[in-house]
Amino acid sequence: MDCPECRVHHPSVCGQKCFVEAKCSICLTHQSPFVLMPCGHGLCMNDFQMIGGTLKPNAGDPGRTSVEDAEHVEYVDTDGDAIAFRLNASGRLDYYVNGRQKVHDLTRLTADGRRLHIDGSSSGPWQSRRATTVPQGQETAIARVMSLFSNRSSGAVPTSTVRTLAVPSSIVEYVDTDGDAIAFRLNASGHVDYYVNDQQKVHDLTKLIADGRRLHLDGTSSGSWGSSRATTVPVRGGKAVVASIIALFNQRAA
């Protein structure tokens, strides 16, 4: 099965359902739920099925491929190191390089294009702050890592309730095409807030629409300005950033 936009070939079982409204590459209408493909492009459910696509089994489905798929993400970074993000026995996220644990119980994960910045508790005499760059063409690994981080246990409550709790360090940041520093962050209520140049503009987002690299959002205004906003993600690494924001929004508390 080929993506109708970039023509990248994918296996037929590759779709990830996202409960956001976005523009379909085939029918050009805004649909929700939306199906995201590994290349970062997406389609409405009808058109995805029309070209022969099938959704990937979810972690809670009996037909999912394995428990391991839902609990770790692995890739070889641009330095040639084997990187792994794995949920540990406490439901928290650990970071491995070439099979060796470097940081455990991650508390911070941010995406800057294809580069991931992390922090947590060091597993040795080295610093806990680390960075890794995902190779071009594997940007969907970023969305999977962000999703894994969002679903980790805070350690204060059972893992089954994490989805509705705060993950204050869950954040996606980038500099948009206007030169503004943009951040999407989960707040103390488990909802997503929107910041421009470190100033909160909209909190508790209720709407997020992706039209290519342009994101349209709405929620509750944090000041005297309107709540309806738009931001354009840069071309470089843009698909991965958009996918990460969609994943973050999809993980927010209901």
Side-chain angles (χ1 to χ4, degrees):
M1 184 188 76
D2 296 336
C3 170
E5 188 161 339
C6 67
R7 302 303 177 185
V8 170
H9 183 74
H10 302 302
S12 59
V13 182
C14 68
Q16 178 182 348
K17 184 187 287 187
C18 299
F19 290 93
V20 296
E21 184 177 324
K23 187 177 182 180
C24 174
S25 299
I26 294 181
C27 65
L28 304 180
T29 61
H30 289 90
Q31 300 280 344
S32 178
F34 196 68
V35 181
L36 191 66
M37 293 179 288
C39 60
H41 294 120
L43 302 171
C44 67
M45 183 65 72
N46 288 339
D47 286 332
F48 178 70
Q49 294 175 341
M50 181 186 70
I51 65 172
T54 303
L55 293 177
K56 291 189 296 184
N58 292 323
D61 290 344
R64 64 188 174 92
T65 53
S66 70
V67 174
E68 186 173 314
D69 289 340
E71 295 184 349
H72 86 257
V73 177
E74 296 181 348
Y75 60 89
V76 176
D77 70 7
T78 54
D79 292 329
D81 292 317
I83 304 299
F85 290 84
R86 299 174 184 167
L87 288 177
N88 59 34
S90 300
R92 299 169 187 152
L93 193 61
D94 298 338
Y95 173 74
Y96 292 76
V97 179
N98 296 322
R100 186 175 187 182
Q101 187 184 85
K102 293 293 185 177
V103 185
H104 62 274
D105 300 345
L106 298 193
T107 57
R108 177 177 178 264
L109 176 66
T110 62
D112 181 9
R114 290 184 290 111
R115 192 161 179 80
L116 294 172
H117 300 269
I118 69 171
D119 204 353
S121 299
S122 176
S123 302
W126 45 80
Q127 294 290 324
S128 61
R129 291 187 179 183
R130 315 284 293 193
T132 170
T133 302
V134 177
Q136 189 171 2
Q138 299 184 36
E139 289 87 350
T140 52
I142 298 172
R144 295 198 299 270
V145 171
M146 298 296 288
S147 178
L148 198 62
F149 181 74
S150 296
N151 280 303
R152 79 199 192 287
S153 171
S154 66
V157 293
T159 306
S160 61
T161 63
V162 170
R163 182 178 176 87
T164 62
L165 295 180
V167 188
S169 56
S170 292
I171 179 174
V172 180
E173 298 176 321
Y174 61 92
V175 176
D176 70 6
T177 54
D178 291 330
D180 292 318
I182 304 298
F184 290 82
R185 303 173 183 170
L186 283 179
N187 60 32
S189 301
H191 298 285
V192 179
D193 297 337
Y194 173 73
Y195 291 76
V196 179
N197 298 323
D198 289 327
Q199 183 179 11
Q200 187 184 85
K201 293 293 186 179
V202 185
H203 63 273
D204 299 342
L205 297 192
T206 56
K207 176 184 178 184
L208 178 66
I209 299 175
D211 184 2
R213 291 182 294 107
R214 190 159 180 81
L215 295 170
H216 301 269
L217 59 99
D218 206 346
T220 304
S221 175
S222 301
S224 57
W225 45 82
S227 61
S228 181
R229 315 283 294 192
T231 171
T232 303
V233 178
V235 173
R236 185 176 180 180
K239 294 177 183 177
V241 173
V242 171
S244 297
I245 294 169
I246 288 175
L248 188 67
F249 182 76
N250 202 33
Q251 295 298 328
R252 76 196 190 284

